[in-house]
Amino acid sequence: MPQMTFVEQDGTERTVDAPVGLSVLEIAHKHDIDIEGACEGSLACATCHVVVDPAWADRLSQPTDDEEDMLDLAFGLEKTSRLGCQIVMTDALDGLVVRLPRKA
């Protein structure tokens, strides 16, 4: 099973099992990682904002216009910011690293 690493706001790294087909948001919730996901993955908010490690950013599909519109509402936006609900785990993403941005 693929794994991924979440870097929490305090810098703590948590490597977890990341089942293929689940979104980063769903994986976070499964492992009690502190990502809100207020809209439950329906692409209607930016509360699942994560910052993808630059080494992984080019391996992801490009964000849709709808995702980019929602990201505009996120606090602490960075060049590799994405919504966790829009990153779906695949075998090719085994080892993915994302950082949780600081909260407002």
Side-chain angles (χ1 to χ4, degrees), residues 71-88:
L71 280 168
D72 287 341
L73 305 174
F75 177 80
L77 199 62
E78 296 185 28
K79 183 178 179 181
T80 60
S81 289
R82 295 294 301 267
L83 296 180
C85 67
Q86 297 302 296
I87 303 171
V88 177

